Amino acid sequence: MATAFPSTDSTLTDARPLDGVPSAHEHVVAAALHPGAPGPVGLELEAHLVDLRDPAVRVPWARITGLVDRLGPLPGRSAVTLEPGGQVELSGPPHPDVTAAVAALRSDAAVLRSALAGDGLGLAPLGADPLRPAARVSPGPRYRAMEDHFAAVGCTRAGAAMMTSTASLQVNLEAGAPAQWRERVALAHALGPVLVAVSASSPLLVGQETDWVSTRQQVWGDLDQARCGPLLGRGDPADEWADYALAAPVMLVRLTDAGGAEPVTGRVPFADWASGETLLGGRRPTPADLDYHLTTLFPPVRLRGFLEVRYLDAAPDPWWPALAAVTTTLLDDPVAADAAAAACEPVAGRWSDAARLGLADPALHAAARGCLAAALDRSPTGLRAEVEALAALVDAGRSPADDVLDTARSSGPAAALLAACADPTPMEETS
């Protein structure tokens, strides 16, 4: 069983070139899925950082980093990292179950909110920033290179929005036994459209209604699908992930001097670099280059030894704890998983409809109600109140996006951003 979910970054310590495409394929397959009994859960929650006195202006990078540097260790052991638009991410270590993972992340979020409030800042966990234009505030070379690559391949606007204006809840789950891998990966994808619709919290961007309930998912859909599209489930998932990774274009080449990065301004599949057909940075790639390339691929479900579920909009409490509980229950509980697979079958692959229409689509609404009923019946006692609240929201045909829209229409997009920064009200135990 995995004892920790690995870092999204890797070092340049292995300088040996890969021995061609078969060697690269084998390297990806070996790391794709590791046997691990379902149970442990890791959560990652992103939120937009907001100046409560001037919400229309992004917080300067030096101010953000100064605050984070002064934080110290958090009680639940979450790491605090920063995204290119100034979004703050809390990444929790794996916990024995989803109840413990939620409790730890909640405690860390409370400490972080308190520290930020002392400097007049708040956190808005929404799938997309409803107010501010996309703008990179991080000076990091990775993000400069990503920006240049997206511009070169014709994804300037979507790339900028993805990097600086979106936020998600990620749920990390063990891969299961090898005999389960194909079924678990397939179910994680089948759940995608339904949970995109259920979690949708991003109906605005740059102060305007977008006519999408999950603008975050719409932005990801506008990016290069060779990098961001789902696996298709046509074979062994580790083999398919390796094929996907080697066909995906290289985004950047890391330089050995002081962590620099050189953008790749054309479409060069990693396989062409591995084969020697194209040299990037004047050299062949190493295993470390391939590991880093994997961190620049953003499918809805990424295989990192475990299952990284990436398609949920960030949402305020109690919705993100409920979403974490529902996603975990529907994938890890065998009874709930069977019910969810049947409920999702009629809407499999409808990613775009889920992002645009959400629960207003009758088939997606029916599938969501079936999934929430299955999750509620098998959900952990410690999160039952949150799952019940989400089930009631879904039953009414609503998602967190409706609250955002209601606030924006009555008081403006700045009010919607600020409302998401409010401290959560603890739910009363109903079990």
Side-chain angles (χ1 to χ4, degrees), residues 181-395:
W181 287 351
R182 185 167 183 174
E183 183 178 343
R184 278 176 65 75
V185 172
L187 178 57
H189 283 83
L191 283 168
V194 174
L195 293 182
V196 165
V198 170
S199 70
S201 70
S202 49
L204 292 97
L205 194 68
V206 197
Q208 301 293 322
E209 295 185 23
T210 63
D211 295 325
W212 296 72
V213 293
S214 177
T215 301
R216 181 203 56 79
Q217 181 65 29
Q218 185 258 333
V219 165
W220 286 96
D222 280 350
L223 289 169
D224 185 351
Q225 291 301 287
R227 182 182 309 283
C228 301
L231 303 182
L232 299 178
R234 294 174 178 168
D236 174 79
D239 275 329
E240 186 177 2
W241 173 234
D243 290 342
Y244 181 109
L246 298 183
V250 182
M251 177 180 279
L252 57 91
V253 177
R254 291 192 302 170
L255 307 177
T256 56
D257 57 322
E262 177 181 288
V264 178
T265 56
R267 292 185 63 84
V268 180
F270 193 94
D272 288 359
W273 193 15
S275 71
E277 180 177 332
T278 301
L279 296 183
L280 298 174
R283 59 180 177 82
R284 297 275 293 271
T286 68
D289 289 316
L290 179 50
D291 289 340
Y292 196 74
H293 172 65
L294 297 178
T295 75
T296 70
L297 307 181
F298 311 113
V301 180
R302 187 160 62 179
L303 308 187
R304 294 181 50 212
F306 55 94
L307 305 183
E308 183 183 72
V309 177
R310 302 174 48 86
Y311 46 66
L312 302 167
D313 272 15
D317 204 314
W319 308 128
W320 74 257
L323 290 164
V326 166
T327 303
T328 300
T329 301
L330 295 180
L331 278 163
D332 282 1
D333 182 279
V335 174
D338 287 345
C344 291
E345 186 175 1
V347 295
R350 293 185 59 193
W351 296 93
S352 183
D353 289 340
R356 183 169 56 91
L357 302 171
L359 299 179
D361 179 272
L364 284 163
H365 189 205
R369 292 181 69 186
C371 285
L372 265 292
L376 182 58
D377 190 49
R378 307 289 292 186
S379 63
T381 301
L383 291 168
R384 184 67 53 84
E386 288 83 352
V387 176
E388 286 178 343
L390 184 60
L393 190 73
V394 167
D395 195 53

Side-chain angles (χ1 to χ4, degrees), residues 21-35:
V21 173
S23 175
H25 190 278
E26 182 180 351
H27 183 86
V28 178
V29 167
L33 294 168
H34 298 154

Side-chain angles (χ1 to χ4, degrees), residues 413-429:
L417 182 62
L418 291 171
C421 296
D423 284 345
T425 301
M427 298 195 72
E428 295 182 0
E429 291 291 337

Side-chain angles (χ1 to χ4, degrees), residues 47-76:
H48 306 283
L49 187 64
V50 181
D51 186 327
L52 300 176
R53 302 181 188 93
D54 194 0
V57 176
R58 288 186 182 270
V59 182
W61 189 249
R63 183 179 174 192
I64 303 171
T65 54
L67 287 167
V68 171
D69 289 345
R70 294 194 298 270
L71 267 179
L74 295 173

